[in-house]
Structures are given as C-alpha cells and as structure tokens.
C-alpha cells in the first residue's frame, strides 16, 4: 500500500477511516470496539453534540491562550493522550512514536500498564515528552510497586490508577474477530509478573486485581512518590472519596465505552462531579472527544483537561509519530478556532455560561 498523504486527512473521522484500512481486522476490532451493544460507545460522542455553545460577542479574540493549569503546573493546552494498551498493534514503533508526538505537540502522554514498550524505552525514545503512568493494580502488589518505582525513576510525573477494569468488559466485536495477534513487545508488566510466551491484551488483563478497594488506593497514594489520580469515576460520591483518600485528581471516564455498556457518558457525568469536588482536586474527562468544540464544552463544564484515546491510535496506525502529531494538531487548531469563535479567547475563563442543552437533543 502506498504511503498515505497525511495532509489530505483533515478531520478526525477521516483519520479513523484511514486507520481502519491500515489495521488488521482483529486489531481494529480491539481498538475501535466497545462493550455489548456499544450504546455507551456511541453516546460518548453524541453527548458532546447534545450541548450547544453560547458564543459571547465582541470581546476581542485576536490573541488567544489555550494554556491551562494541571497538578499545579502550566501546560500549553488541555489535551492529554489517554492511556491505551498495546500500541504496537497499531504500529511497529508503538508507544515510542506516541511519545515522540507528545513531545512535538507539548501533550502529556499517559503510558498504559499494558503498554507494549517499557517505561525505560519510552523515556529514551522521547526524553522531552511530558509523561504520566497509568496503573492497573495487579493481584501481585509487588509487581505494581515495581512498575511505580520504574515510572518514577524514568521521569513520569503522575500516576493514574484505573479503577473501572475490575472485570473485563464483554466486547462482541473482539469475540467475532478473534483475539488480536501477539506482537513483538517489551511489556514491562508481563515481565515483572513473570508471564512468558505470547502476550495478548487478554493475558495481561487477567493479572488485574478484581478486589481492589479504596483502602488499597489510599495505600498507593501514601506510598507513591508521584501525585496519584484515579481514572474511571462516574459518581459524585466516589469523587468525594477520591478527595478523602488523598488523591490529586480524577478522570471522569467510562473507559471509552469498553467496559459496562449503558453507563453515563463522561460529558453527562462531569457536571455533578465538578460541583462536588472541582474546587478541591483536578477533574479531567474523557470519552468521545473528537472535535475542538468538544474540548471547549468539557472545559466549560469544569474539566481542567481532556484525554483523547482512539484518535491517537488512529494517527499512529496511519502515520506513526507524524500521524499522531497531525491528529493532535488538527484538534488543537479546532480548539483554538472554537475558543475564538465562542468569544472566550482564554481557555481557563470558560464557564458554564458558554454551554446549554441543545434544542436538537432528543427528549425521551
Ligand atoms: C484500544 C484501547 C486500549 C485502552 N487501554 C487502556 C488502558 O490500558 N488503561 C486505561 O486506563 N484505559 C485504557 N483505555 C481507555 C482510554 O484510556 C480512554 O478512557 C478512552 O479511550 C477514551 O475514549 P475515546 O477513545 O473515545 O477518546 C483504552 C482504550 C482503547 C480504545
């Protein structure tokens, strides 16, 4: 196949279609699919569209500022790369290329526990990439402690403990297509857990502890040399617990619609969580962010930043580091444009007055 013309793909959806062409069908099913009827998968996107923007007129938008503050540090913009497992399924350079694109775009990359590249290799490939480490807590706590130590030693700045993969979601696309093939990989978590032979997403997920509790998270937060966030929160009561257990932040997320189907979208769960803890810890959101306007809406509802999952993998599948960079540049360009056209040129000044329930949102 001839190399794709990256500049010809102008919208995130075009990248998605190009990625489907580039990916092996089993890998595509693993990446693109969601749980059972994929109602939440679809709603993650639809929920952002159910919000309408309320632009402010004549405020002067010639100079715009996309920067935000996250965990006490200024960042040039609010996009993070969500942790996604097994990136060498999409491209031979996998997480190394994603890290290179993070460095090129000033984005924070969150490296998955189930990454196919070790924390050391990612740090060496892109020493300037801002990076966080995502932790699935394994039944063998020693493995998790080792991974945290290696992340801290290799310049990862925060720890994201994912709490919504206690069990593995029922993903019918994967059942139909068969499991994605093992790929040559340096899987730090598998090596630390003593898993040898073919490593697949399912073989790694089996190591995650289904009995994790808040007391475990509190212990991790107390022992961790890095600030700790939890990912996979959808209820304000759980957000309150995150504050009570000493966490630095949380990510409102339904795991990209891959775990429990028919749960609330990030967009719909976010406002109540911001109302509960938004003044106390950093609240981020993910799921279905595909447009600059989605980012404006997330910030207007009170998120500090957003995580982007599949679009990064699609960029990687189509064009390696350059592909990821291009996808993120498209989103950043749209975000800058939407800030200006919304009449809120300073990202941190977005508030709920800029959004309203869209008149076109179906009332059921
Ligand atoms: C292929 C794939 C692998 C994922 N692997 C992980 C993972 O290892 N750890 C994790 O916390 N979340 C994982 N997620 C969830 C993402 O971090 C994120 O919550 C989700 O993709 C956001 O939705 P979006 O893809 O619509 O942007 C994965 C998502 C996908 C699509």
């Amino acid at each position: 196949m001839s190399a794709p013309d990256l500049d010809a793909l102008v919208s995130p959806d075009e990248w998605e279609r190009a990625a489907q062409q580039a990916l092996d069908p089993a890998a595509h099913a693993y990446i693109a699919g969601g749980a059972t009827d994929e109602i939440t998968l679809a709603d993650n996107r639809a929920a952002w569209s159910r919000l309408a923007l309320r632009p402010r007129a004549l405020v002067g938008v010639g100079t715009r500022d996309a920067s935000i503050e996250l965990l006490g540090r200024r960042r040039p913009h609010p996009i993070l790369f969500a942790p996604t497992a097994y990136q060498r399924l999409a491209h031979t350079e996998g997480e190394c290329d994603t890290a290179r694109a993070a460095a090129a775009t000033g984005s924070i990359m969150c490296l998955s526990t189930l990454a196919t590249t070790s924390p050391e290799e990612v740090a060496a490939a892109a020493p300037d990439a801002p990076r966080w480490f995502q932790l699935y807590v394994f039944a063998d706590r020693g493995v998790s402690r080792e991974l945290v130590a290696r992340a801290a030693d290799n310049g990862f700045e925060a720890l994201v403990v994912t709490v919504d993969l206690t069990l593995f979601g029922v993903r019918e696309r994967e059942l139909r297509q068969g499991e994605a093939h093992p790929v040559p990989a340096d899987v730090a978590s598998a090596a630390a857990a003593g898993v040898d032979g073919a490593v697949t997403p399912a073989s790694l997920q089996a190591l995650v502890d289904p009995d994790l509790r808040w007391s475990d998270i509190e212990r991790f937060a107390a022992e961790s040399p890095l600030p700790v966030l939890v990912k996979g929160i959808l209820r304000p009561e759980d957000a309150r617990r995150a504050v009570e257990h000493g966490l630095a932040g949380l990510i409102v997320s339904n795991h990209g619609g891959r775990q429990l189907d028919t749960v609330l979208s990030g967009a719909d769960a976010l406002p109540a969580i911001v109302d509960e803890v938004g003044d106390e810890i950093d609240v981020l959101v993910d799921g279905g962010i595909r447009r600059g306007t989605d980012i404006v809406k997330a910030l207007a509802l009170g998120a500090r930043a957003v995580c982007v999952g599949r679009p990064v993998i699609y960029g990687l599948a189509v064009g390696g580091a350059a592909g990821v960079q291009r996808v993120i540049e498209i989103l950043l360009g749209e975000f800058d444009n939407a800030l200006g056209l919304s009449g809120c040129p300073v990202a941190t000044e977005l508030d709920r007055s800029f959004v309203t329930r869209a008149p076109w949102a179906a009332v059921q």
Side-chain angles (χ1 to χ4, degrees):
M1 209 167 58
S2 59
D5 174 6
L6 303 190
D7 291 331
L9 303 170
V10 297
S11 77
D13 279 352
E14 283 162 62
W15 281 86
E16 179 166 355
R17 285 192 288 273
Q20 182 164 7
Q21 302 291 312
L23 286 163
D24 156 86
H28 180 261
Y30 169 68
I31 294 162
T36 54
D37 292 315
E38 300 189 339
I39 289 170
T40 294
L41 175 69
D43 194 54
N44 277 349
R45 291 194 64 178
W48 297 114
S49 309
R50 287 194 296 267
L51 294 167
L53 288 165
R54 300 180 65 239
R56 199 166 47 172
L58 295 173
V59 291
V61 297
T63 309
R64 295 169 302 283
D65 179 3
S67 70
I68 51 118
E69 198 157 304
L70 195 55
L71 300 185
R73 288 193 57 183
R74 203 83 198 162
R75 300 282 178 186
H77 59 74
I79 297 180
L80 283 84
F81 298 178
T84 55
Y86 232 67
Q87 293 185 2
R88 283 186 205 264
L89 273 181
H91 191 276
T92 49
E93 281 291 298
E95 291 83 1
C96 289
D97 263 8
T98 305
R100 292 179 185 114
T105 57
S107 313
I108 295 171
M109 170 195 186
C110 191
L111 184 71
S112 167
T113 294
L114 308 183
T116 41
T117 310
S118 68
E120 291 80 4
E121 213 185 322
V122 168
D128 296 336
R131 47 193 182 270
W132 292 2
F133 189 79
Q134 178 265 328
L135 188 72
Y136 282 128
V137 179
F138 285 2
D140 181 344
R141 296 287 195 274
V143 173
S144 298
R145 275 193 209 99
E146 179 188 326
L147 290 175
V148 173
R150 286 170 64 181
D153 285 349
N154 284 281
F156 289 76
E157 295 171 49
L159 199 63
V160 174
V161 183
T162 300
V163 297
D164 58 8
L165 195 125
T166 45
L167 305 173
F168 191 46
V170 179
R171 304 188 191 157
E172 293 175 0
R173 285 203 218 191
E174 284 174 54
L175 295 174
R176 269 181 230 116
Q177 282 292 342
E179 193 166 25
H181 300 300
V183 289
D186 178 2
V187 183
S189 53
V195 175
D196 25 68
V199 174
T200 61
S203 67
L204 289 173
Q205 271 142 359
L207 303 170
V208 178
D209 183 0
D211 280 322
L212 197 68
R213 291 175 197 262
W214 281 106
S215 51
D216 299 295
I217 303 290
E218 185 166 68
R219 208 164 309 125
F220 262 103
E223 287 174 7
S224 169
L226 306 173
V228 176
L229 302 88
V230 271
K231 172 171 179 283
I233 298 297
L234 291 171
R235 296 169 66 125
E237 309 89 292
D238 283 340
R240 173 57 46 207
R241 283 189 193 100
V243 172
E244 288 166 1
H245 287 81
L247 304 187
L250 64 87
I251 305 179
V252 178
S253 172
N254 58 35
H255 213 105
R258 300 163 71 77
Q259 286 294 93
L260 183 63
D261 199 14
T262 72
V263 301
L264 274 183
S265 68
D268 283 325
L270 178 64
I273 290 177
V274 168
D275 289 344
E276 179 70 30
V277 301
D279 291 339
E280 295 166 76
I281 58 174
D282 285 358
V283 175
L284 295 82
V285 68
D286 77 12
I289 299 270
R290 299 292 181 276
R291 288 291 187 186
T293 44
D294 298 339
I295 306 173
V296 164
K297 292 169 188 176
L299 267 56
L301 294 178
R304 291 259 173 176
V306 300
C307 307
V308 173
R310 292 179 184 83
V312 169
I313 317 179
Y314 295 144
L316 186 64
V318 176
V324 179
Q325 181 175 340
R326 192 68 206 111
V327 167
I328 297 303
E329 284 169 355
I330 290 171
L331 277 174
L332 288 174
E334 288 185 12
F335 178 58
D336 173 65
N337 180 264
L339 281 178
L341 291 176
S342 297
C344 186
V346 178
T348 51
E349 291 178 5
L350 283 163
D351 62 32
R352 290 202 192 160
S353 73
F354 286 93
V355 285
T356 186
R357 183 128 304 258
W360 58 79
V363 180
Q364 291 184 336

